[in-house]
Amino acid sequence: MVALTTRPAVPPASSPAGAPVRRLPALRHLGPNWYASVMGTAIVATAGAGLPWQPPGMRTALTVVWALSALLLGVLLTARALHWAHHRDQARAHLLDASMAPFYGCLAMALLAVGGATLVVGSDWIGVRAAVAVDLVLFTAGTVTGVLAAVAVPYLMVTRHRPPLADASPVWLLPVVAPMVSAALGPLLVPHLPAGQLRQTLLYCCYGLFGLSLLGALLMLPLVVGRLLTGGPPALALTPTLFLVLGPLGQSTTAVHQLAEAAPGVVPGPYAGGFATLAVLYGVPVMGFAVLWLGLAGALVVRALRRGLGFSLTWWGFTFPVGTCVTGLAGLGSRTGLRLFDLAATGLYALLVAAWLVACAGTARRLVTGRLPAPSA
């Protein structure tokens, strides 16, 4: 996904002015926001596998999408490592930039999303045992990275960034939402662990991550809404980030469903019943609010398009958050038996696929023409 330049055979030690030579200049502006493309691709596979209707050939197509997400993850992890090695000043600048640092949550979510998709659909090609091993590695790495981001990024915002409230953005949600992805995908691993303490520990840890992320998001959301009500719509290029608010809504609904699915036989009966009750009592009203936000954000995006909104990497914000709502609705459909949720999940999945295709095409076109990576990507 990233075009790497070749190193000259005998590079000079420094530029004529004495400044160090920048190697691999194509990676200079490759920020952590690029991991959104991995998340957006992996969720297409995971969300599609959970739909109640599976037409012929869909499973194969979803597995191909999973393979693409795994490939993208490998390429970006390598490219980002090279970015830190050859452009450390720029990497540090990203950490000290209040508008870029929150995207470090995307690294955690990319690891988790690919790991979850590996277990859900990738097992068709590599086998369940290998899929579990891959998911364990990616889940562990993603969870640790996500918790670190949830602590470190707000710490930097408090001590170094200190952004004004007028700059409040849905991007601020990214670090605190990452642990919610762990809470939603961790329960998939529970049946593959030895019965007893290990299963219980993972389940309760996922429940704790659910609380960590939910309360963190509840702290950030009022700032985002207050900024919109008092400051008006965001800049045109940032309008797609409004869809990021759907992330904690859909992912938390998915999390309570997956926790309820994994609970029977792992925790005492009353607790398992409580998990199942919470999945409905929490999920239905939260998805109701998601409908409200989808309508508001969609209207503001249409407004921005009429005013000349062009493609940028922020368009990947139309993918993963929408995908989490698909998985949340599909979970409610299977738990309540209501066709309304199944139809809503299917319709929203069609929107997800359309958004993913547009984001893929726009990103690929700008990579080929050399317009990405860029400072204003």
Side-chain angles (χ1 to χ4, degrees):
M1 185 173 177
V2 179
L4 304 181
T5 58
T6 57
R7 181 180 176 182
V10 184
S14 62
S15 66
V21 172
R22 303 296 183 191
R23 291 181 291 178
L24 300 174
L27 301 182
R28 175 75 178 160
H29 300 292
L30 184 75
N33 54 331
W34 278 79
Y35 286 112
S37 63
V38 179
M39 299 158 50
T41 301
I43 197 68
V44 171
T46 305
L51 293 178
W53 298 290
Q54 298 287 318
M58 182 171 179
R59 186 77 181 185
T60 301
L62 296 179
T63 311
V64 171
V65 173
W66 156 76
L68 176 61
S69 71
L71 176 63
L72 290 176
L73 178 62
V75 170
L76 275 176
L77 286 174
T78 302
R80 284 285 297 163
L82 292 172
H83 178 267
W84 269 95
H86 298 295
H87 301 284
R88 187 162 298 180
D89 62 321
Q90 185 67 16
R92 288 178 58 84
H94 286 160
L95 274 174
L96 299 178
D97 184 352
S99 63
M100 184 61 73
F103 284 101
Y104 272 90
C106 290
L107 167 58
M109 290 187 278
L111 294 168
L112 293 162
V114 173
T118 301
L119 190 56
V120 172
V121 298
S123 56
D124 292 357
W125 284 4
I126 66 175
V128 174
R129 186 172 181 178
V132 170
V134 171
D135 192 19
L136 275 172
V137 172
L138 293 179
F139 174 79
T140 302
T143 299
V144 171
T145 304
V147 173
L148 287 175
V151 175
V153 174
Y155 173 82
L156 286 174
M157 294 177 71
V158 170
T159 60
R160 298 294 297 271
H161 303 157
R162 297 186 181 179
L165 289 179
D167 291 344
S169 161
V171 172
W172 291 9
L173 291 166
L174 290 174
V176 296
V177 171
M180 188 65 79
V181 182
S182 295
L185 295 176
L188 298 177
L189 284 168
V190 169
H192 301 283
L193 297 179
Q197 287 284 320
L198 283 178
R199 289 186 181 183
Q200 291 182 12
T201 299
L202 177 57
L203 190 67
Y204 282 124
C205 282
C206 288
Y207 199 42
L209 290 168
F210 167 82
L212 181 160
S213 182
L214 177 63
L215 296 177
L218 289 177
L219 290 175
M220 294 293 187
L221 274 174
L223 302 178
V224 175
V225 176
R227 157 64 184 83
L228 287 174
L229 293 177
T230 59
L236 289 184
L238 296 179
T239 305
T241 63
L242 292 173
F243 272 66
L244 297 179
V245 174
L246 294 174
L249 305 177
Q251 199 66 273
S252 61
T253 302
T254 303
V256 292
H257 169 68
Q258 294 295 352
L259 288 165
E261 287 287 293
V266 177
V267 298
Y271 292 165
F275 276 45
T277 302
L278 178 65
V280 176
L281 295 183
Y282 174 88
V284 174
V286 168
M287 292 313 297
F289 180 71
V291 171
L292 182 154
W293 193 267
L294 181 63
L296 174 62
L300 289 171
V301 167
V302 171
R303 176 182 180 275
L305 287 171
R306 289 177 175 175
R307 285 163 170 75
L309 171 64
F311 179 82
S312 68
L313 287 182
T314 59
W315 282 45
W316 282 101
F318 295 135
T319 56
F320 190 80
V322 173
T324 66
C325 291
V326 173
T327 56
L329 288 167
L332 286 173
S334 66
R335 188 158 296 279
T336 63
L338 292 177
R339 286 290 184 91
L340 173 64
F341 292 124
D342 293 338
L343 291 171
T346 303
L348 207 56
Y349 185 72
L351 177 63
L352 167 63
V353 172
W356 177 70
L357 291 172
V358 170
C360 284
T363 303
R365 185 166 56 250
R366 282 156 180 77
L367 279 171
V368 170
T369 58
R371 295 163 64 187
L372 288 176
S376 57

